[in-house]
């Protein structure tokens, strides 16, 4: 089964500072990887996805992530944090259900705090 | 408008009640999902349906009963729940391809008293 590990349940940065959220994956096949963001009292919103077309993936709101096979990592970055980036971020990997459908397996999430 | 609509947004129910959560997707997807999100726990996949057929039941207690009458609608019927079932229940849909992301609704916040 595929899995992801997010290092750090809480990350705190200053406004304007670099954001780095870490994700490592475990997969027996070339993975499809995703980053989602969740704001309070809302569902999960897709930030970006890796589907093997390019190792550096750009997403919404200025976020990007780099797929590194040698490190089994898919870390999320943003050069300059904004107050509106405060939210919880989830890394996910695609896997198969018992019946052969696709599903996503999520990490435990990283809560990002942005300080003024 | 997220494309996936969940109702109600909030639900408070006693342990002896019967209630249902509803999810509707307007994206033309063929797969639908129920996830449970509890405090301090990772997102737990509960059920997956593909073209109305259940393809995953992740050892969910029988007090949770899913129903998928068509590819656009998904229900979660609840009965005799426990306080530990209080959580945010998220519905999602997708094209059922590995590179296809899940699209989530805003969830139903369930409190069992």
């Amino acid at each position: 089964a595929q899995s992801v590990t997010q290092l750090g349940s809480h990350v705190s940065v200053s406004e304007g500072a670099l954001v780095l959220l870490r994700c490592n994956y475990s997969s027996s096949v070339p993975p499809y990887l995703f980053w989602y963001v969740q704001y309070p009292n809302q569902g999960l919103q897709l930030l970006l996805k890796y589907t093997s077309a390019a190792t550096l993936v750009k997403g919404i709101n200025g976020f990007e992530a780099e797929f590194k096979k040698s490190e089994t990592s898919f870390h999320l970055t943003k050069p300059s944090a904004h107050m509106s980036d405060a939210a919880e971020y989830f890394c996910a990997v695609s896997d198969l259900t018992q019946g052969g459908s696709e599903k996503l397996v999520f990490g435990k999430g990283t809560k990002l705090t942005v300080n003024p | 408008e997220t494309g996936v609509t969940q109702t109600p947004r909030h639900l408070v129910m006693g342990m002896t009640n019967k209630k249902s959560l509803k999810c509707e997707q307007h994206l033309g997807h063929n797969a639908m999902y129920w996830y449970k999100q509890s405090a301090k726990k990772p997102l737990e996949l509960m059920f997956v349906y593909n073209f109305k057929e259940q393809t995953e039941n992740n050892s969910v207690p029988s007090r949770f009963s899913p129903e998928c009458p068509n590819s656009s609608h998904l229900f979660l019927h609840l009965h005799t729940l426990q306080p530990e079932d209080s959580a945010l229940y998220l519905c999602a849909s997708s094209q059922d391809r590995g590179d296809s992301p899940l699209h989530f609704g805003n969830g139903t916040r369930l409190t069992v008293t």
Side-chain angles (χ1 to χ4, degrees):
Chain A
Q2 329 293 37
S3 65
V4 292
T5 302
Q6 291 184 243
L7 297 175
S9 58
H10 288 83
V11 169
S12 182
V13 301
S14 299
E15 192 174 17
L18 171 72
V19 175
L20 171 60
L21 305 182
R22 300 177 187 274
C23 173
N24 288 89
Y25 68 90
S26 173
S27 176
S28 56
V29 297
Y32 294 121
L33 294 160
F34 305 82
W35 274 101
Y36 283 83
V37 61
Q38 186 179 31
Y39 298 101
N41 300 315
Q42 293 188 25
L44 277 68
Q45 179 184 359
L46 179 69
L47 274 178
L48 50 80
K49 66 177 184 180
Y50 168 74
T51 59
S52 77
T55 56
L56 183 62
V57 182
K58 294 188 183 298
I60 62 171
N61 301 339
F63 284 93
E64 62 183 36
E66 187 172 9
F67 173 73
K68 291 187 177 180
K69 184 178 178 181
S70 61
E71 299 177 7
T72 61
S73 69
F74 189 56
H75 302 330
L76 182 71
T77 60
K78 182 174 181 178
S80 177
H82 192 273
M83 297 295 290
S84 61
D85 295 327
E88 190 156 19
Y89 293 79
F90 294 90
C91 182
V93 64
S94 185
D95 199 355
L96 289 177
T97 68
Q98 302 154 359
S101 298
E102 297 291 338
K103 66 179 181 182
L104 288 187
V105 177
F106 287 87
K108 293 183 178 181
T110 298
K111 191 168 185 179
L112 176 67
T113 301
V114 181
N115 302 307
Chain B
E1 175 59 54
T2 65
V4 179
T5 304
Q6 289 188 245
T7 54
R9 289 297 309 275
H10 301 272
L11 178 62
V12 179
M13 59 185 290
M15 289 189 284
T16 58
N17 291 159
K18 289 185 180 181
K19 296 286 185 182
S20 295
L21 309 185
K22 179 182 176 182
C23 177
E24 184 174 0
Q25 60 99 358
H26 313 277
L27 300 169
H29 292 161
N30 52 279
M32 297 189 77
Y33 308 75
W34 280 117
Y35 279 86
K36 177 183 178 182
Q37 188 176 31
S38 306
K40 301 181 181 179
K41 294 176 77 174
L43 277 156
E44 300 172 61
L45 179 64
M46 301 175 71
F47 302 104
V48 181
Y49 279 82
N50 188 333
F51 285 114
K52 305 186 298 178
E53 299 297 321
Q54 188 179 116
T55 60
E56 177 109 334
N57 177 338
N58 203 15
S59 303
V60 180
S62 59
R63 57 186 184 269
F64 295 91
S65 176
E67 179 189 1
C68 188
N70 54 60
S71 295
S72 298
H73 294 85
L74 184 64
F75 297 89
L76 188 62
H77 304 299
L78 316 171
H79 61 98
T80 60
L81 294 191
Q82 304 299 311
E84 60 264 29
D85 296 323
S86 298
L88 181 68
Y89 289 85
L90 291 164
C91 174
S93 68
S94 80
Q95 291 282 21
D96 192 36
R97 292 196 320 261
D99 62 345
S100 175
L102 270 60
H103 295 254
F104 285 85
N106 283 326
T108 295
R109 174 69 63 186
L110 174 67
T111 303
V112 181
T113 61

